[in-house]
Structure formats: C-alpha cells, structure tokens
C-alpha cells in the first residue's frame, strides 16, 4: 500500500545572491496513514524545508510531493490553498494565535473558512479545548495563558477541522521539558484516537523516541529512515507519560481571572 505522503526525488535549491543553497537533495520518503513521524537532524540540515514541501507551502525545484494520491507539486496556488484547507493542519513553534481573539475564537477560526455557522463553530471549539484540558481558558486571550497552554490551543485549532494530516515544525521548541512532554502526549493520544497522520520536526531525542517512524536529515539528504519496533516506542511513550503526568493539572472549569494581567 502506498503511503499517504510520498516524495519522489525531491530537490529544493535556494538562490542567495550569487550562491545556490541545495536545501534538499533527492529526497524520496513515504509516510503511512496514521503514522506519527518525526523528522530530526542538525540545525540547517533541511528539516523545515522538507516539512514546508510536504505541506505544500513551497514549490520544489525538482521532484514530486504526493498526498493521498494527489500531486501537490502539480497544483496551482488556488488548488493548493483549497487542498490544505480541506485536508491539512499545522502547529507552529511560536503558536501563531491571533492576539485579539480568545482561545475559543482562535480554535473556531479554521471552521469559519469552512463555512460552519458561528454557534456550531464555538461549540466545536469549546469541545476541542475541553479535550485539551483547557475549557476553563476558553475566554482567555493568548497573553493570559502560559506557553504550554497557548500551544495546546494551537493543537486544538489544528485538530478542530479533523484534518487527515497534521504538520508541526518544532512545536515544543519554546516550551520547557515537562510541558513539551505533556504537549507531545496530547498529540500522540489524539493521533492514535483519531487516526490522524502526524509529521513533526523536533530537536528532542526523548520526544522523537516516541514516534512510529524517525527520519533523520543530514545536509539535505535522508541519512536514515527507521520504523521503530513496538516495544521500543512503547517504552519511550511510557516514560513520557510518567514524566508528563505530574505536570498535568486539572483545569478548573469555571475559573476566569477578574482582570487580565498586564
Ligand atoms: P532546519 O530546519 O533543519 O534547521 P532549514 O530547512 O531551515 O533547516 O534550512 C536548510 C538550508 O536551507 C539552510 O542552509 C538554510 O540556510 C537554507 N534556507 C532555508 N530557507 C531558505 C530561504 N528561504 N532562502 C535561502 N536559503 C534558505
Ligand atoms: Mg527549522
């Protein structure tokens, strides 16, 4: 069975002044449906470039990106935008929440682009926040939340449309280690429960160790592509859950601050 994500001879060259930077060189990979895949590698190795190619955010110089049988690399901008909206979700390192919107409004936003009516949008956004243990923060602005809470809002926003695939570029890059584990725990749980395919770039070996597949990039090439044995990844996940458990406070459902902190 062909993977839900495939690339064939993917190459990306950037022109920087007179220099040419070969960011990706002949990448052919495959990610199976429902897999939690981590992309690892040194800084500057091409991880973000690869993720952006897979997500259809940038055009390859050469080669193909195929998602669910659709060739992204052959689509025009309009087709790509529609495809992304219908099938893909994104989680960003810096959360990218809209600062003037509450948590619930941020989560509801992708549903607006899908033409869902306002009452349904807010109801589904609140449901999603509840799953993330954040119902008590539904009316809060991003500035009124911790980094870990903001990232869980970011995850809720990515999940609310139930995309087939979620891409995340260092989603825990701005979080401390305990919060990172908690956030990954959430993503793993949701991916297993909903069968969503995940592709996540990370620097953290302890997080990558939980993945079904680990693709290591070095100088724009695939250095290794490993499907982890069940017992190996389960051990890493158990350790992650044990560590993140103590850090998951129950969310007070009705709590709302009297005034926004400065
Ligand atoms: P990573 O995410 O692994 O740190 P990147 O994919 O961001 O690496 O970058 C890979 C290489 O491509 C680096 O040498 C980087 O400087 C270069 N690069 C990335 N984006 C651009 C760009 N928009 N223009 C020019 N060079 C770029
Ligand atoms: Mg990067």
């Amino acid at each position: 069975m062909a993977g839900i994500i495939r690339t064939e001879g993917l190459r990306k060259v950037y022109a920087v002044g007179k220099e040419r930077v070969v960011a990706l060189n002949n990448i052919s990979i495959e990610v199976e449906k429902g897999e939690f895949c981590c992309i690892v590698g040194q800084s500057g190795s091409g991880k973000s470039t690869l993720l952006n190619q897979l997500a259809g955010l940038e055009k390859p110089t050469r080669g193909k990106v195929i998602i669910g049988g659709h060739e992204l690399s052959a689509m025009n901008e309009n087709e790509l935008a529609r495809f992304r909206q219908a099938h893909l979700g994104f989680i960003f390192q810096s959360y990218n929440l809209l600062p003037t919107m509450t948590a619930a409004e941020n989560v509801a936003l992708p549903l607006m682009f899908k033409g869902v009516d306002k009452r349904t949008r807010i109801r589904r956004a609140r449901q999603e926040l509840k799953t993330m243990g954040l119902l008590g923060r539904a009316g809060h602005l991003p500035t009124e939340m911790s980094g870990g809470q903001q990232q869980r809002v970011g995850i809720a926003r990515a999940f609310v449309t139930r995309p087939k695939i979620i891409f995340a570029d260092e989603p825990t890059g701005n979080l401390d280690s305990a919060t990172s584990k908690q956030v990954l725990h959430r993503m793993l749980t949701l991916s297993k429960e909903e069968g969503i395919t995940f592709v996540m770039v990370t620097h953290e070996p302890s997080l990558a160790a939980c993945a079904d597949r680990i693709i290591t990039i070095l100088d724009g090439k695939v250095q290794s592509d490993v499907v982890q044995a069940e017992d190996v990844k389960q051990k890493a996940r158990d350790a992650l859950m044990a560590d993140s458990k103590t850090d998951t406070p129950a969310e007070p459902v009705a709590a709302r601050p009297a005034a926004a902190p400065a």
Side-chain angles (χ1 to χ4, degrees), residues 102-141:
T102 64
E105 288 165 346
N106 267 286
V107 175
L109 199 57
L111 295 173
M112 191 167 89
F113 297 124
K114 287 199 147 189
V116 178
D117 69 87
K118 188 168 181 187
R119 271 184 66 168
T120 311
R121 290 202 300 266
I122 293 296
R123 184 173 50 76
R124 283 178 55 188
R126 289 176 61 84
Q127 256 167 18
E128 221 55 52
L129 285 170
K130 190 176 175 191
T131 309
M132 297 305 291
L134 281 176
L135 191 54
R137 300 290 184 275
H140 289 216
L141 295 173

Side-chain angles (χ1 to χ4, degrees), residues 94-95 97 134 142-143 145-155:
S94 46
Y95 326 131
L97 302 179
L134 281 176
T143 48
M145 289 181 281
S146 71
Q149 289 172 337
Q150 289 184 63
Q151 193 56 300
R152 281 188 282 151
V153 174
I155 296 171

Side-chain angles (χ1 to χ4, degrees), residues 66-227:
I66 300 154
I67 293 189
H70 302 273
E71 190 187 336
L72 264 59
S73 35
M75 292 182 190
N76 65 32
E77 281 307 318
N78 273 337
E79 292 168 330
L80 262 178
R82 246 179 293 137
F83 186 85
R84 281 198 301 262
Q85 221 171 70
H87 304 296
L88 311 181
F90 304 89
I91 299 168
F92 303 90
Q93 178 171 352
S94 46
Y95 326 131
N96 287 20
L97 302 179
L98 293 179
T100 58
M101 287 190 175
T102 64
E105 288 165 346
N106 267 286
V107 175
L109 199 57
L111 295 173
M112 191 167 89
F113 297 124
K114 287 199 147 189
V116 178
D117 69 87
K118 188 168 181 187
R119 271 184 66 168
T120 311
R121 290 202 300 266
I122 293 296
R123 184 173 50 76
R124 283 178 55 188
R126 289 176 61 84
Q127 256 167 18
E128 221 55 52
L129 285 170
K130 190 176 175 191
T131 309
M132 297 305 291
L134 281 176
L135 191 54
R137 300 290 184 275
H140 289 216
L141 295 173
T143 48
E144 297 167 349
M145 289 181 281
S146 71
Q149 289 172 337
Q150 289 184 63
Q151 193 56 300
R152 281 188 282 151
V153 174
I155 296 171
R157 180 182 55 185
F159 268 92
V160 77
T161 58
R162 290 294 178 271
K164 291 190 181 66
I165 305 171
I166 292 183
F167 295 100
D169 194 351
E170 312 232 19
T172 63
N174 291 347
L175 306 176
D176 62 62
S177 131
T179 312
S180 295
K181 287 173 180 167
Q182 192 187 347
V183 162
L184 180 66
H185 181 179
R186 285 287 179 191
M187 293 195 289
L188 274 170
T189 306
L190 290 168
S191 118
K192 295 306 160 205
E193 282 173 358
E194 308 281 341
I196 294 173
T197 308
F198 250 89
V199 184
M200 171 176 118
V201 170
T202 182
H203 259 107
E204 287 297 322
S206 65
L207 302 187
C210 299
D212 299 311
R213 177 188 296 271
I214 305 175
I215 297 176
T216 307
I217 303 294
L218 179 68
D219 295 336
K221 295 193 198 104
V222 176
Q223 187 189 30
S224 65
D225 180 351
V226 176
V227 174

